[in-house]
Every structure is written in C-alpha cells, then in structure tokens.
Amino acid sequence: MLLSLSIENFAVVKSVHVDFKQGLSVVTGETGAGKSIAIDGLSLCLGARADANAVRKNADKASVIAEFDIQTLPKVKQWLSDLELIQEEAPNECTIRRVISAEGRSKAFINGKTVTLSQLKVLGQWLVSIHGQHAHHQLLKADAQLQLLDQFANHPELLTSVKSSFEQYRQTKQQFDQLTATQQQRQDRCQLLSYQVEELDIFGLQQGEFEQLEIEFKRLSNSQTLLEEAQMSFYRLYENDEHNALSLVQKCVNELEQLETHDATLAPIVGILKDSAINIEEAANELRSYCDELDIDPMRMQQVEQRYQQAMDFARKHNVMPEDLYEIHQALAAEYAELQASSGSLDELAAQVQLELDTYLAQTALLSQSRQSAGETLAQHIIESVAQMNMEHTQLKFAVNYDTSQPLQANGLDTIQILVTTNPGQPMDVIENVVSGGELSRIGLAIQVITSHLNQVPTLIFDEVDTGISGPTAAIVGSLLRKLGNSTQVMCVTHLPQVAAQGHQQLFVNKLTDGETTETTMRELNDEQRVRELARLLAGDTLTDSAIANAQEMLQKVS
C-alpha cells in the first residue's frame, strides 16, 4: 500500500507531504484548487511522461517521492531482489523517487538506485491502479469490453492455449502458402529434371569413367602409329642384326673389360654399361609384348569414339567440364528426388494446416464458452450493484458473438457487446446508445468494485469517479467505495459530501495566491475540520448551522 507521498516544486505545488492510511482516503477542495495534484504527482513517480512544464516556476527541479509497504507483495519483492534493488535493512518497504530538471531532463530511482523509465513503469503497474475521470468511457470500446470479460473469467490458461494454437497455425499456413505460390515453378523444374535425369541415367556414365574413356580413345585413335613406332623401336634396340642398341652396348662392355686390366678406374663404367645392356634387353622384351598385345579393333574404336563424343556432348549441354558430368548427374538426380518428395510434403502440409486450424477452432470455442459463462455472472453482479445506485430497472447483458468467418485472432473469434436497457419496456441496445454519463459512471464504478479482487494491486485511485451523480445515489457510491476500502487501499477525488463522508481519511486541497505566485497545499483534516469541509460541500462557502448539523450527522452515520 501507499504509505506517503512527498512533492516538491511540482506544477503549482511548492512542498507537500501526505501520509496515507489503509481504507478509503477522500480528497476534497474547491473547484480549480488542484485536487488531482497528488494523482498527477504519483503518476509521474510511477513512470508517466514528464517535461519542463512540470517544474514550478523559478525552481531548478521538481521531485516526487512515494513510499510503499510491499510486505504482502511477494512478486514485487522478488522483482526488486532480482534487480538488486531491494533494501536489505527494510525489505518490506520500497521508495520511488522521480526528479525532473527545469530543462526537462528526468531521473528515476528505486530505493536510492538509478533505474530506467521502463523499469519504473513495470513496478508501478504492480503498486497502483489509477482510474481517471473518464476511465469509464473505456467501457464503450470493444477491446476494453473483451479485456474486462477475460479478467473476470480469470482463464489465463485458455487465453494462452488459443494464442499458442493461433501462432502454430499461422506459421504452418505461411509455409503452406509459400510452397503453394512456387508450386508451378517446382512443377516446371521437376519436368525438366525428369527429362535430364532420365537421359543421363540411360547414358549411365560412372564415376571416373570419362578419364579412362579419354585414355582409351587416345590410344585407339593412334593405335596404328603406336604399333609402327613401337615395332621400329624394338627393331633398333634388339632385332637389327648389324647395328641394334643391345649388341653395340655389349660390344663396348667386351672392349672395356679388356682395358680394365690396364686401368682399374674403368670398372665403374663397365658396370654401368652392363646395367644398360640389361635395361635395353628388358625394354625390348616389353616392347615385344606391347606390340603383341596392342589391339587394333575398329569396332571397339567406334564404340569408344561414340561414347566419348556423347560424354562431350552432354558436358556442353550442361555447361560443365566432362570430368564433372558424373557429379552433375548425381546432383540433378538428388534435386529431382527432393522435388518429387516436396509434392508429397505439400499434401502433408495441407493436412497439417487443417489439423492446426481445427485445434485452434476447438480452443477458441472453449474460450468463447468461458466468456459467455463469465459474462452471465458478471452481468448479474453489475445489475445488482447498480440497482443500489438508483438504477433498479437496469438490465445488462454481455453479448458474446462467436464468429468463425472473421479473420483469425490470437485472442479468439469473439466479438463483445454490452447491451443495456435502463427503463422498463425499452429494448436492449449497445451501451453507448443507451446510458447517460452518470449512468455510465455508476456502471463503471460497479465493475471496479466487483473486479477489485482480481486486480491484485494494493492501491486503487479514482479521480472524480462520482461525476454525474448526486443525492441518495451519491451516498450509495460512497458506501461502495468505503466497502472497497475495507479490503483495498482506495483514494478518491470527489466533490460530493455523501462520498467524502464515507472516507476513513479526508485530505483537503487548497490553493493560495498573493497575486504574483500561486501555491497548492494538501493536508489531512481532523474531525472538526472534516465537519466544516463537509458543510462547505453541502452549502457552499457560507456555512450555516443546518449545514454543519447535516455534516455532523453524515459522519456519525458512517462511524
């Protein structure tokens, strides 16, 4: 709960410090005195936008400090602890400070440590809920009506399930649409690949085959020349009776061996020549075998030449080197297989899209049923509550329209309308066409009271929530706010004595001016001061004995 609020040099406030109590705190004052100044300052402290106009004239800076008791707020304590912002010496208290310079620069602090504005807003939403003068007008908006119903139904699991199934369906549908959009391109490509792969399959070139084919083609195309040259070389090395290479080398060996007896240094040369003779003889034998085995087969030549030429043609067709033709064949075959599989994938994806759509529709139907049930219960509570506020003929209904033909949404397929009639015999119509401002204000207040236990925020602030009501209705509104204050800290800015009398604490706002400067102050009233302030609200600036007596009676009835 809010313990205290200190404001320095903010707008028309020079210095204000207020201690707040549990229960209902009412804020009163003359029109234009600045009764909402505490709310504005607290809003600033909790992350509202600030500018240089917020700083009091001739002041260097404005500051707002709010102190809270967080003993019963474990979520807040955990958040502070995670960010190392908790006060070890006072873990059940939290102090927020906001400073705005005259130039418009802003700084924020939690328990003395600098924080960002976004962190301030996160913390603020767990500490205070502020309902402005026109907050009840949100009831006229469809999204606010839906949010209200979901809050009252308290079905976060259903909302999460619908959102999750929606996201899953959306992603799968997107994949399906993308695949469908490129289906014709894939079909054209698949048809081309079918022809190319079939052609290469028939040709059936194996890995490394072209390299061997090229070698054989060169050999066969030059086989006659190879045979003739090999035979001539064999003749020169071995078969020429007069001058073959082998006989010449052997003759040299014989002559040098005779000379070796005269000069031993010839021995290595003789050894080399002997080795040469052996190598020449082996080479001659290999050439003989080569010539015997060299096959000049015109049929084989034709086959090799034809396959070699086909390989070259396919390589040119696919714009690759012939050595890479086998790899290209494998790549095209793999792509063709993948495209064929994708055709099946499209069917599977279509089935998956339908399955996920069915899941989403089933979840949204459950959510709609929960909303309808919650709507019936909430409507009955509102009817009972506003009946106490001089709207006893009011009938109200949450019309939940579940429409599967509308675009899918992450929060379901429901459209919500609040239908109302306030007079007997009049048909129900949408709320904006039926209720007056005061009636709308009373319905809004009833909803705030009914749903306060769901808010889980320890401090509720209402800025002139009683606008448009008076008399006995005002007394009932005050009673409702006091009842709410028994379980939650409530602050209410009001101009109605019937509401002000219900406060556990009354704060008075006053504006002082010396003709040159203006200053707004706020102070807590004691019992005597409360009587006089209530009398002023009843009778105006001229206090009469009867007004004072009425004020005393009002306070006595409450106590």
Side-chain angles (χ1 to χ4, degrees):
M1 60 173 276
L2 177 64
L3 296 176
S4 67
L5 182 67
S6 298
I7 303 175
E8 300 284 340
N9 296 322
F10 175 64
V12 293
V13 173
K14 183 176 182 180
S15 179
V16 163
H17 176 85
V18 181
D19 292 320
F20 292 92
K21 300 175 182 178
Q22 181 66 43
L24 172 62
S25 297
V26 292
V27 180
T28 62
E30 295 181 357
T31 302
K35 294 189 290 296
S36 299
I37 197 69
I39 298 176
D40 295 339
L42 187 58
S43 298
L44 185 71
C45 201
L46 298 177
R49 183 180 177 183
D51 54 41
N53 293 330
V55 181
R56 182 177 170 81
K57 185 178 179 180
N58 298 326
D60 294 332
K61 63 182 179 180
S63 69
V64 182
I65 302 174
E67 296 181 338
F68 294 89
D69 182 348
I70 59 172
Q71 184 174 359
T72 59
L73 303 175
K75 186 176 182 179
V76 172
K77 295 174 72 172
Q78 184 61 52
W79 185 83
L80 292 172
S81 179
D82 291 343
L83 295 180
E84 298 181 351
L85 295 173
I86 201 161
Q87 301 181 104
E88 298 298 334
E89 67 281 3
N92 293 326
E93 295 181 5
C94 178
T95 300
I96 301 175
R97 180 164 65 100
R98 185 89 182 272
V99 179
I100 302 94
S101 70
E103 294 78 21
R105 292 188 296 272
S106 170
K107 292 183 179 180
F109 306 86
I110 297 177
N111 290 332
K113 296 182 180 179
T114 303
V115 295
T116 65
L117 197 60
S118 60
Q119 289 173 323
L120 205 60
K121 290 180 179 179
V122 169
L123 179 60
Q125 68 182 353
W126 294 330
L127 296 175
V128 177
S129 178
I130 298 176
H131 305 272
Q133 295 183 28
H134 305 292
H136 49 272
H137 288 289
Q138 293 295 318
L139 286 174
L140 305 180
K141 299 180 179 180
D143 56 346
Q145 295 170 5
L146 183 63
Q147 184 178 3
L148 167 64
L149 208 51
D150 284 335
Q151 180 188 26
F152 183 78
N154 196 21
H155 47 206
E157 298 84 2
L158 275 176
L159 289 170
T160 301
S161 296
V162 168
K163 183 178 180 180
S164 177
S165 59
F166 170 78
E167 290 297 331
Q168 188 63 42
Y169 166 78
R170 185 182 61 82
Q171 293 174 9
T172 307
K173 184 65 165 58
Q174 187 176 37
Q175 294 174 8
F176 176 76
D177 291 342
Q178 290 173 348
L179 202 59
T180 302
T182 59
Q183 185 176 19
Q184 185 59 49
Q185 296 177 1
R186 291 196 316 277
Q187 288 176 345
D188 295 342
R189 178 64 175 167
C190 192
Q191 186 175 2
L192 174 62
L193 288 175
S194 174
Y195 168 75
Q196 291 178 332
V197 171
E198 181 180 8
E199 192 177 45
L200 290 172
D201 283 344
I202 293 173
F203 183 57
L205 186 70
Q206 301 300 308
Q207 188 173 18
E209 181 185 349
F210 179 79
E211 290 82 356
Q212 296 301 320
L213 195 63
E214 187 174 33
I215 293 171
E216 187 177 5
F217 174 74
K218 289 180 180 180
R219 185 175 71 248
L220 291 175
S221 60
N222 295 281
S223 58
Q224 188 62 42
T225 301
L226 290 171
L227 180 60
E228 292 174 358
E229 293 296 330
Q231 288 175 338
M232 181 59 69
S233 295
F234 175 72
Y235 177 77
R236 290 169 180 167
L237 287 174
Y238 193 77
E239 280 201 344
N240 190 339
D241 293 336
E242 296 181 2
H243 300 293
N244 66 69
L246 180 59
S247 62
L248 289 173
V249 172
Q250 287 177 338
K251 182 178 179 181
C252 291
V253 169
N254 293 336
E255 292 174 352
L256 289 175
E257 281 183 333
Q258 293 177 4
L259 295 175
E260 188 179 352
T261 58
H262 302 296
D263 187 354
T265 58
L266 291 172
I269 298 174
V270 172
I272 293 172
L273 288 172
K274 287 181 178 181
D275 291 339
S276 298
I278 294 172
N279 289 333
I280 290 172
E281 188 173 10
E282 289 181 355
N285 291 333
E286 291 293 330
L287 277 172
R288 181 190 291 116
S289 299
Y290 175 79
C291 292
D292 292 342
E293 294 175 0
L294 188 60
D295 185 16
I296 302 178
D297 184 354
M299 184 64 70
R300 177 60 183 168
M301 175 60 194
Q302 183 179 357
Q303 293 174 347
V304 171
E305 183 179 13
Q306 182 181 7
R307 189 162 180 79
Y308 177 79
Q309 190 59 48
Q310 284 181 316
M312 295 295 291
D313 291 342
F314 277 122
R316 283 191 295 270
K317 186 175 183 178
H318 291 280
N319 196 28
V320 297
M321 297 299 292
E323 295 85 353
D324 299 329
L325 192 58
Y326 174 81
E327 284 73 16
I328 289 298
H329 180 197
Q330 302 307 307
L332 293 176
E335 184 183 356
Y336 178 56
E338 183 178 348
L339 285 175
Q340 285 183 309
S342 71
S343 177
S345 297
L346 188 62
D347 295 336
E348 293 175 3
L349 202 57
Q352 183 67 22
V353 168
Q354 186 59 49
L355 177 62
E356 290 176 359
L357 175 59
D358 292 342
T359 300
Y360 169 79
L361 293 176
Q363 293 293 334
T364 56
L366 291 175
L367 178 61
S368 183
Q369 292 172 10
S370 179
R371 284 169 173 164
Q372 291 175 15
S373 176
E376 293 173 2
T377 303
L378 178 56
Q380 187 58 40
H381 287 328
I382 295 172
I383 291 170
E384 294 172 358
S385 182
V386 298
Q388 303 174 37
M389 293 184 277
N390 199 27
M391 294 178 65
E392 61 272 10
H393 300 298
T394 298
Q395 294 298 314
L396 184 143
K397 175 183 178 182
F398 285 87
V400 180
N401 180 30
Y402 179 70
D403 183 5
T404 58
S405 65
Q406 67 171 312
L408 307 190
Q409 301 289 335
N411 61 354
L413 298 174
D414 292 319
T415 54
I416 309 296
Q417 286 185 315
I418 298 179
L419 304 179
V420 179
T421 178
T422 57
N423 297 307
Q426 294 296 318
M428 280 190 169
D429 198 355
V430 290
I431 187 170
E432 58 266 32
N433 294 341
V434 175
V435 299
S436 64
E439 290 171 334
L440 183 61
S441 178
R442 278 173 272 178
I443 292 174
L445 177 60
I447 290 173
Q448 291 298 331
V449 173
I450 293 166
T451 61
S452 62
H453 68 286
L454 300 172
N455 206 353
Q456 297 182 340
V457 176
T459 301
L460 300 178
I461 298 178
F462 297 96
D463 189 2
E464 298 195 17
V465 70
D466 49 18
T467 300
I469 60 177
S470 60
T473 303
I476 295 171
V477 168
S479 178
L480 285 175
L481 288 172
R482 184 178 180 89
K483 179 181 177 182
L484 184 59
N486 291 331
S487 58
T488 305
Q489 185 184 39
V490 179
M491 181 193 303
C492 178
V493 176
T494 183
H495 61 280
L496 297 177
Q498 296 92 333
V499 175
Q502 296 287 340
H504 297 93
Q505 175 189 31
Q506 184 167 349
L507 304 170
F508 178 71
V509 176
N510 189 31
K511 181 189 291 185
L512 304 174
T513 181
D514 59 6
E516 295 183 0
T517 61
T518 301
E519 180 179 346
T520 292
T521 63
M522 177 183 287
R523 71 181 189 277
E524 183 178 2
L525 302 180
N526 58 31
D527 291 343
E528 182 180 347
Q529 291 169 334
R530 286 194 71 180
V531 170
R532 296 184 67 81
E533 171 61 7
L534 289 177
R536 185 191 67 80
L537 292 174
L538 286 166
D541 292 337
T542 302
L543 299 185
T544 63
D545 292 340
S546 60
I548 292 176
N550 286 339
Q552 291 173 333
E553 184 180 359
M554 292 174 68
L555 288 176
Q556 289 173 356
K557 287 182 178 179
V558 172
S559 59

